[in-house]
Amino acid sequence: MESTKCLIIGSGPAGFTAAIYASRANLNPILYEGQQSGGQLITTTVVENFPGYPQGVGGYDMMEDMRAQAQRFGADIRMGSITSVDFSSRPYAVTIDDGSTIQAETIIIATGASAKYLGLEDEKKYAGRGVSACATCDGFFFRKKTVAVVGGGDTACEEANYLASLCEKVYLIVRKGYLRASEIMQKRVLENPKIEVLFKHNTEGLYGEPKLQGAHLVKNLGEAGEQRYDLAIDGFFLAIGHKPNSDLFKPAVETDAEGYIKTDGPTPCTNVPGVFAAGDVADPRYRQAICAAASGCKAAMEAERFLNR
């Protein structure tokens, strides 16, 4: 059975940064990339808010840079996914999708979170061409344009307000007849002259060539007065939540009600000794590449300290 001092699960900014730091600390880490090498960021066309890239950089290119940097210091980066873990005793046993098993003295969980989508085929078609699940990441590209945000909670209201500071017009598409957001967030949305809330609306599809030009909406679905129409928009933002990719580690690793891994204060330490969480899998608030990278650094440093102790 193969063994390692440090196993990193996940290959986004958190995973690759952890690999860089762990490699430089002579931990000889093994990193499994998972189903999507580079994580969510590879679906982002241009990243302009990550330090060190003054002209911006493609999400895929940035992840390739991080990958190459980790490999330069000796990180063993492998294709494959983890199918099961055993945290009952150290070293911890981890099973790979090819059937092999690795024993790891420390483990860094950097599996990220997946944005929730409506499930429309058009969402895939227009990914990177008008559809986004991160207003902070991509809102800049829609300055002085018309966009729509889907959702009725705090996140949706927050993103609608953020986009209103950049865009000419923002539609907030809400499935129910009310907002679920906190009162203060509702107030900010309803009083913003650039935001128009479309209550009791559902999105049935998107259209446009070669990029997004609008959405097919239905008002009062299944009720009297049901109405279908097209709404011209340049951008379509999903804000209906994220699902942290933490199921594999439950119940051994503690999570909150949403599934985000709980850590000890500002540290990446979980309730399992020698197991650390970094990036979006433990971050329900910020979900930014720079934050994920920073937490990957902290996780690797904590792994080194744990092994030294």
Side-chain angles (χ1 to χ4, degrees):
M1 182 185 295
E2 188 176 11
S3 61
T4 181
K5 291 181 181 179
C6 181
L7 176 69
I8 301 168
I9 306 173
S11 58
F16 283 144
T17 303
I20 291 169
Y21 275 78
S23 297
R24 286 171 54 84
N26 294 319
L27 301 187
N28 302 312
I30 296 173
L31 181 150
Y32 274 91
E33 295 184 297
Q35 296 181 346
Q36 183 170 290
S37 177
Q40 293 184 83
L41 210 64
I42 65 168
T43 64
T44 301
T45 308
V46 180
V47 180
E48 291 192 323
N49 55 1
F50 198 95
Y53 294 95
Q55 304 305 318
V57 61
Y60 176 84
D61 294 332
M62 190 171 85
M63 287 298 92
E64 284 297 294
D65 286 347
M66 287 191 182
R67 190 179 199 276
Q69 189 171 359
Q71 288 179 315
R72 175 193 165 205
F73 293 115
D76 184 351
I77 298 176
R78 305 178 181 180
M79 296 179 63
S81 299
I82 307 302
T83 57
S84 67
V85 296
D86 182 358
F87 289 156
S88 59
S89 62
R90 289 186 57 244
Y92 303 122
V94 175
T95 303
I96 318 303
D97 56 8
D98 62 5
S100 61
T101 303
I102 293 179
Q103 286 188 330
E105 305 233 2
T106 62
I107 292 177
I108 296 174
I109 301 170
T111 47
S114 302
K116 294 179 182 178
Y117 286 81
L118 297 175
L120 305 173
E121 281 299 315
D122 290 337
E123 289 172 317
K124 300 175 184 177
K125 176 180 178 181
Y126 294 105
R129 294 191 295 145
V131 170
S132 171
C134 181
T136 309
C137 308
D138 300 325
F140 186 77
F141 303 110
F142 296 89
R143 286 172 300 169
K144 299 183 179 180
K145 294 185 178 182
T146 299
V147 300
V149 177
V150 179
D154 277 340
T155 298
C157 289
E158 185 175 346
E159 299 213 341
N161 271 300
Y162 172 76
L163 290 167
S165 69
L166 301 170
C167 303
E168 186 71 27
K169 175 80 174 180
V170 178
Y171 292 101
L172 184 59
I173 302 173
V174 183
R175 182 169 55 90
K176 298 182 180 295
Y178 56 88
L179 293 171
R180 294 181 291 104
S182 58
E183 287 189 19
I184 189 168
M185 292 305 297
Q186 291 188 43
K187 188 172 186 290
R188 289 174 183 171
V189 162
L190 297 173
E191 291 181 356
N192 193 316
K194 284 190 175 182
I195 300 174
E196 181 177 344
V197 183
L198 303 178
F199 289 111
K200 302 189 74 172
H201 276 68
N202 286 268
T203 306
E204 292 193 321
L206 305 170
Y207 65 90
E209 289 298 338
K211 58 184 179 180
L212 178 71
Q213 293 177 313
H216 301 301
L217 302 183
V218 56
K219 181 180 180 181
N220 298 322
L221 179 64
E223 299 178 7
E226 181 177 291
Q227 176 188 359
R228 283 176 167 79
Y229 66 97
D230 291 344
L231 180 70
I233 53 173
D234 303 294
F236 186 77
F237 290 85
L238 281 303
I240 54 178
H242 286 72
K243 184 183 185 304
N245 302 319
S246 61
D247 289 350
L248 179 66
F249 312 103
K250 299 176 183 177
V253 175
E254 290 183 1
T255 62
D256 66 12
E258 300 296 321
Y260 289 94
I261 294 177
K262 291 183 178 180
T263 56
D264 184 11
T267 79
C269 305
T270 71
N271 63 297
V272 181
V275 175
F276 310 95
D280 287 10
V281 73
D283 179 10
R285 187 176 182 88
Y286 298 105
R287 295 193 298 270
Q288 295 297 301
I290 189 67
C291 301
S295 67
C297 159
K298 292 194 290 185
M301 293 178 72
E302 288 290 349
E304 179 189 11
R305 291 169 182 171
F306 179 85
L307 291 168
N308 286 340
R309 289 197 298 269

